[in-house]
Amino acid sequence: MTAPLQDLFVLDMTHVLAGPFASMTLVDLGAKVIKVERPGLGDDTRAFPPFKDGQSAYFAALNHGKQSIALDLKAEEDRAIFEQLLARADMVLENYRPGTMEKLGYGWEDLHRKYPSLIYGAASGFGHTGPDAHRPAYDMVVQARGGVMSITGEKDRDPVRVGASIGDIVAGMYLVQGVLAALVDRQKTGLGRKVDVAMLDSQLAILVHAIAITTVTGIPPAPTGARHPSITPFETFNASDGLFVIAAGNDVLFARLCDVLGLPLAQDPRFATNPARCENARLLKRLIEALTLEHPKSHWITVLEAAGVPTGPIQNLTEVLRDPQILARNMVVDVLGADGMPKYVAAGNPIKLSGMADPTTRRPAPTLDGDRHEISQWVNNL
């Protein structure tokens, strides 16, 4: 059993979420990741709650399996160590504000000149070009400016941010795609590339249906709660004991839904096609809920699943972490503590590759500068 990135060495200068999420994905695929942190403080997330035995579970969830060395890149001795690492790295990742690495003498142009095969992956709020490149950004800023908040929330109420930090996480995903594409290219050319991923760009990239609606109709979509603006029925419905979801995404599935509910609507011109159902979505919801309110969620999920209609419960995280399907896919793993015993719980690796082990545990998250001696020995023995 081999991991596809087991010979890859990543020098990780990232902090907080977007960059560490990317390097965590590379760790899960087998890469060796050395995390370069600020002396004394380290990654900001070391101070983020919740804590267990004085250590951040948030930090552990993002940084398990990495090694840590604390370097002051303004100090000559530490710069020498850093450059030893650069000389051996396949790629360097950073998510500082544009210009920071250049001030230190480690921007793309400088590094490419000295280490031509090095891949340079950068995630930032607005990217390394454009009039706002040097502005600071956080997840909520790009969710707001990138349009995601404008379509998230309930109708006629204030927009809200998506509960997960998708401004950071989506950028981290695109950064992984970019550096792996650069890795494939390097196999042909021998040269590294710069990968420049902006959080703002990444938000726009996921708004496929919203862009289509806006450019065709001239009207930007507004929040619709749980309802999909282009597919009906595709939202939450009330049962006798609360909400569940139905996602009948085409005419065949809608006909099956009607059969289960005993509703003679599949041939009704108001509901026979998806465009017609979208036009009459509120009426259709009332007709469906007049029946679903008669039984509990579990009843409807059982009968709809039996009929092949996509449906499901709305689960909180406690329920998600106990979900048999999620557990069967090894998506809940233990992060070990320094003593080798399970200490934290984290999400597993969603990328399941044949021939690659998918362990139920993850190596510990590093203590700040805790791997300096091992890293020094490793570099000097190469």
Side-chain angles (χ1 to χ4, degrees), residues 169-312:
I169 291 170
V170 173
M173 290 177 172
Y174 280 122
L175 184 60
V176 171
Q177 293 179 40
V179 295
L180 293 183
L183 188 64
V184 172
D185 182 70
R186 190 178 70 180
Q187 293 174 344
K188 296 180 290 184
T189 67
L191 297 174
R193 291 190 185 225
K194 179 181 179 179
V195 179
D196 171 13
V197 173
M199 293 166 64
L200 181 64
D201 297 351
S202 301
Q203 294 300 277
L204 189 66
I206 62 174
L207 293 180
V208 179
H209 77 282
I211 292 171
I213 291 170
T214 304
T215 55
V216 170
T217 68
I219 303 171
T224 56
R227 184 174 69 84
H228 195 291
S230 300
I231 308 172
T232 303
F234 206 96
E235 60 181 301
T236 58
F237 292 87
N238 278 289
S240 63
D241 60 347
L243 291 167
F244 71 109
V245 300
I246 299 173
N250 57 45
D251 294 344
V252 172
L253 291 173
F254 179 65
R256 292 180 187 173
L257 173 64
C258 290
D259 286 343
V260 170
L261 297 176
L263 282 172
L265 302 178
Q267 304 304 318
D268 188 315
R270 297 172 297 173
F271 310 112
T273 66
N274 183 65
R277 291 193 292 275
C278 289
E279 288 291 325
N280 295 286
R282 294 303 89 199
L283 174 59
L284 181 58
K285 183 178 175 74
R286 290 197 296 270
L287 293 171
I288 292 173
E289 286 191 329
L291 296 169
T292 58
L293 282 165
E294 294 178 357
H295 298 287
K297 294 175 289 185
S298 58
H299 166 81
W300 292 116
I301 291 170
T302 298
V303 297
L304 289 171
E305 284 183 341
V309 178
T311 184

Side-chain angles (χ1 to χ4, degrees), residues 15-359:
H15 56 285
V16 188
L17 183 50
F21 187 90
S23 58
M24 177 190 70
T25 303
L26 298 175
V27 166
D28 282 346
L29 294 174
K32 176 183 179 67
V33 174
I34 293 179
K35 187 176 179 70
V36 178
E37 300 188 72
R38 297 172 298 171
L41 296 173
D43 190 318
D44 289 347
T45 57
R46 288 186 181 275
F48 287 10
F51 300 101
K52 187 173 184 180
D53 300 329
Q55 296 179 319
S56 169
Y58 187 109
F59 176 85
L62 281 168
N63 294 284
H64 52 74
K66 304 174 188 178
Q67 294 179 296
S68 170
I69 187 168
L71 297 175
D72 178 358
L73 297 184
K74 295 179 181 179
E76 287 304 317
E77 183 178 347
D78 282 1
R79 287 174 68 91
I81 297 171
F82 183 63
E83 289 174 19
Q84 280 185 298
L85 293 169
L86 280 171
R88 291 159 176 78
D90 292 291
M91 63 179 64
V92 60
L93 303 182
E94 58 97 352
N95 62 341
Y96 292 110
R97 199 182 305 186
T100 300
M101 292 289 284
E102 284 75 9
K103 290 178 182 177
L104 293 168
Y106 297 123
W108 160 247
E109 298 293 342
D110 294 316
L111 292 182
H112 188 57
R113 190 180 307 112
K114 193 169 183 180
Y115 312 103
S117 65
L118 183 70
I119 294 166
Y120 186 105
S124 59
F126 301 109
H128 284 204
T129 59
D132 295 335
H134 293 280
R135 288 189 177 184
Y138 276 94
D139 172 82
M140 189 168 184
V141 173
V142 298
Q143 284 201 37
R145 185 168 174 180
V148 170
M149 280 182 63
S150 76
I151 59 170
T152 306
E154 296 290 338
K155 182 180 179 181
D156 299 324
R157 300 189 67 177
D158 291 343
V160 298
R161 66 178 288 274
V162 177
S165 296
I166 63 168
D168 283 289
I169 291 170
V170 173
M173 290 177 172
Y174 280 122
L175 184 60
V176 171
Q177 293 179 40
V179 295
L180 293 183
L183 188 64
V184 172
D185 182 70
R186 190 178 70 180
Q187 293 174 344
K188 296 180 290 184
T189 67
L191 297 174
R193 291 190 185 225
K194 179 181 179 179
V195 179
D196 171 13
V197 173
M199 293 166 64
L200 181 64
D201 297 351
S202 301
Q203 294 300 277
L204 189 66
I206 62 174
L207 293 180
V208 179
H209 77 282
I211 292 171
I213 291 170
T214 304
T215 55
V216 170
T217 68
I219 303 171
T224 56
R227 184 174 69 84
H228 195 291
S230 300
I231 308 172
T232 303
F234 206 96
E235 60 181 301
T236 58
F237 292 87
N238 278 289
S240 63
D241 60 347
L243 291 167
F244 71 109
V245 300
I246 299 173
N250 57 45
D251 294 344
V252 172
L253 291 173
F254 179 65
R256 292 180 187 173
L257 173 64
C258 290
D259 286 343
V260 170
L261 297 176
L263 282 172
L265 302 178
Q267 304 304 318
D268 188 315
R270 297 172 297 173
F271 310 112
T273 66
N274 183 65
R277 291 193 292 275
C278 289
E279 288 291 325
N280 295 286
R282 294 303 89 199
L283 174 59
L284 181 58
K285 183 178 175 74
R286 290 197 296 270
L287 293 171
I288 292 173
E289 286 191 329
L291 296 169
T292 58
L293 282 165
E294 294 178 357
H295 298 287
K297 294 175 289 185
S298 58
H299 166 81
W300 292 116
I301 291 170
T302 298
V303 297
L304 289 171
E305 284 183 341
V309 178
T311 184
I314 301 169
Q315 299 189 134
N316 63 38
L317 262 293
T318 298
E319 293 166 328
V320 170
L321 294 172
R322 296 171 180 166
D323 188 305
Q325 176 63 21
I326 287 171
L327 295 176
R329 295 281 292 173
N330 195 31
M331 282 306 300
V332 182
V333 298
D334 289 318
V335 178
L336 304 179
D339 59 0
M341 299 299 292
K343 185 170 184 179
Y344 307 103
V345 171
N349 180 10
I351 304 169
K352 310 298 184 185
L353 289 177
S354 61
M356 185 181 81
D358 189 19

